Amino acid sequence: MTGFERVAATLNRERTDRPPFDFWAEEPTLNRLFAYIGHNNQERFLDDMQIDIRSFDAIKPDNKNLGNGVFENMWGERFIFAETGWGKMREDTRGALYYAESLDEIMAFPFPSNDVIDYSRLREQCRGAREKKLAVRYGFGDIWQRPSLVRGLENHLTDMVTNPGWTHYLSRVFTDFYIEDYKRAWEASDGNIDIFLVVTDLGTQRGPLISIKMFEEFVAPYLSEIGEVIHKLGAKFMFHSCGNIAAFIPPLIKCGVDILNPIQPTGTEDMTPGELRKFSKEICFHGGMDVQRLLPYGTAGEIQSEARKYAGIFGSGYIICPAHLFQPDTPPENIVALYQSFK
């Protein structure tokens, strides 16, 4: 099967020759990987590993340098870059609206227009993936977590109780932006996008960050809007949330989510593949390969055994990928070993 055929069949719960492979990694991880494989051509590596999906995004404006090592992106998220030994990784600090004291102050912030996004390279990128008969994923939209980075998580959580209108305003701004972003990307790619990704972390290692009631008020309506647009475009809706979010899976399915990532192994029974399998007729699962213990410290045999276990339990409807971006503490040989699980 081609990569495109393998992904399409998986999303339709049809039998495949092997589970599809996906790949994503932090930049320092890539630097470490390139040193190991002896070249820095990521596309060549993805071809060698037979990765079935290519991920693309549009070009965003450069970050502003605020001084003292602090940077700000177009949304007002602020962060520093910490050294890892293989390159720098982002660490978030208090966002631009952390100290906002009124809705007027929030509304006065210069949130970006879609016109600042450059989609010019998408057509060529997607055509290249199509020529290789691969599936295409686009984007990194967000409707709840990114507002919390701009506002500050503690403020954002408090606002949902004391100033709910503030939270709804921020989610409205982000939702409208990403709906338009996905429409423009679809047009720029000539319709060659199979999966659109939305990212909003809702869980901790032990359980949800917010209640189901809060989810239904502040998250579900906006996810449903985006899901409806994605499906009208003819693509699939992939949703990312770290942590134990087992309680959110039924409402996420109602929101139109087709693929759930990253099914983080949290050590709790309700996030194991055996327990999650009961949802497999309604949603595909993506990820699951533990980045906290297995990938950094496991052997090749242990990693491959876990990948085959997940594929065996989920059956059709499972895409192999790490449970987060590959982190810099993952030995490159373990990354390679993961994709040799079904040789």
Side-chain angles (χ1 to χ4, degrees):
M1 302 181 79
T2 67
F4 176 82
E5 291 171 339
R6 195 173 288 118
V7 172
T10 295
L11 295 178
N12 289 322
R13 318 304 193 278
E14 298 169 359
R15 187 172 180 176
T16 58
D17 53 347
R18 64 160 172 80
F21 295 156
D22 201 357
F23 175 91
W24 48 14
E26 301 283 4
E27 188 170 336
T29 313
L30 287 175
N31 294 335
R32 186 178 180 185
L33 176 64
F34 292 153
Y36 173 75
I37 61 178
H39 65 79
N40 62 356
N41 187 326
Q42 183 172 336
E43 186 65 17
R44 174 181 162 188
F45 172 78
L46 298 180
D47 288 342
D48 289 343
M49 296 295 103
Q50 300 180 358
I51 306 301
D52 299 289
I53 300 171
R54 293 295 183 271
S55 179
F56 303 124
D57 205 352
I59 301 171
K60 299 177 177 63
D62 292 337
N63 298 324
K64 297 178 184 177
N65 188 338
L66 302 182
N68 297 318
V70 178
F71 294 85
E72 179 180 297
N73 67 10
M74 65 180 186
W75 287 112
E77 298 167 68
R78 292 177 178 174
F79 40 85
I80 62 171
F81 290 99
E83 184 58 57
T84 68
W86 292 97
K88 295 181 179 180
M89 283 183 62
R90 168 176 158 167
E91 291 187 2
D92 293 301
T93 62
R94 292 176 174 177
L97 294 176
Y98 182 87
Y99 295 104
E101 296 182 351
S102 69
L103 180 57
D104 287 342
E105 192 173 347
I106 292 173
M107 294 175 68
F109 186 78
F111 289 111
S113 158
N114 293 90
D115 293 338
V116 305
I117 307 299
D118 180 1
Y119 301 90
S120 60
R121 64 183 182 180
L122 270 181
R123 181 172 284 107
E124 181 179 354
Q125 289 175 323
C126 293
R127 282 180 179 174
R130 284 289 187 255
E131 289 172 0
K132 292 183 176 183
K133 297 181 172 60
L134 300 170
V136 174
R137 182 179 67 246
Y138 173 84
F140 215 76
D142 197 331
I143 52 87
W144 188 82
Q145 182 189 6
R146 186 162 290 156
S148 80
L149 295 175
V150 181
R151 179 75 180 113
L153 179 58
E154 62 271 40
N155 291 334
H156 196 59
L157 294 172
T158 303
D159 286 345
M160 289 192 294
V161 178
T162 60
N163 300 297
W166 301 14
T167 306
H168 281 299
Y169 176 81
L170 287 171
S171 288
R172 181 80 269 151
V173 168
F174 280 75
T175 300
D176 289 347
F177 179 92
Y178 283 110
I179 284 175
E180 180 65 18
D181 177 54
Y182 289 175
K183 289 178 178 178
R184 293 191 186 194
W186 180 263
E187 181 178 356
S189 71
D190 293 329
N192 285 313
I193 296 172
D194 305 298
I195 300 166
F196 286 92
L197 172 64
V198 175
V199 177
T200 281
D201 284 344
L202 298 169
T204 71
Q205 191 82 3
R206 294 181 292 179
L209 270 170
I210 58 176
S211 68
I212 293 293
K213 182 180 178 181
M214 290 282 192
F215 175 89
E216 295 289 355
E217 179 177 353
F218 294 103
V219 181
Y222 304 104
L223 285 184
S224 296
E225 280 188 51
I226 291 182
E228 184 177 353
V229 169
I230 291 171
H231 291 152
K232 283 183 177 179
L233 292 174
K236 296 294 186 181
F237 180 8
M238 178 174 171
F239 179 76
H240 164 96
S241 174
C242 290
N244 182 337
I245 59 162
F248 292 132
I249 294 177
L252 285 170
I253 292 170
K254 290 181 181 179
C255 291
V257 173
D258 300 296
I259 309 165
L260 181 63
N261 162 274
I263 51 173
Q264 179 181 331
T266 62
T268 56
E269 182 64 27
D270 51 359
M271 285 299 291
T272 61
E275 184 64 22
L276 295 177
R277 184 181 180 180
K278 64 188 177 188
F279 301 111
S280 60
K281 291 183 179 180
E282 301 172 279
I283 197 167
C284 290
F285 290 98
H286 176 290
M289 297 298 100
D290 178 28
V291 300
Q292 294 174 296
R293 292 171 294 274
L294 177 67
L295 288 169
Y297 307 114
T299 66
E302 289 169 338
I303 291 166
Q304 292 168 357
S305 176
E306 189 77 351
R308 291 191 290 268
K309 182 185 84 172
Y310 268 68
I313 293 174
F314 283 124
S316 300
Y318 174 60
I319 299 170
I320 287 185
C321 195
H324 201 288
L325 283 74
F326 283 113
Q327 299 297 301
D329 61 350
T330 300
E333 54 268 31
N334 283 0
I335 296 176
V336 173
L338 175 61
Y339 298 113
Q340 293 177 335
S341 299
F342 296 88
K343 287 287 187 180

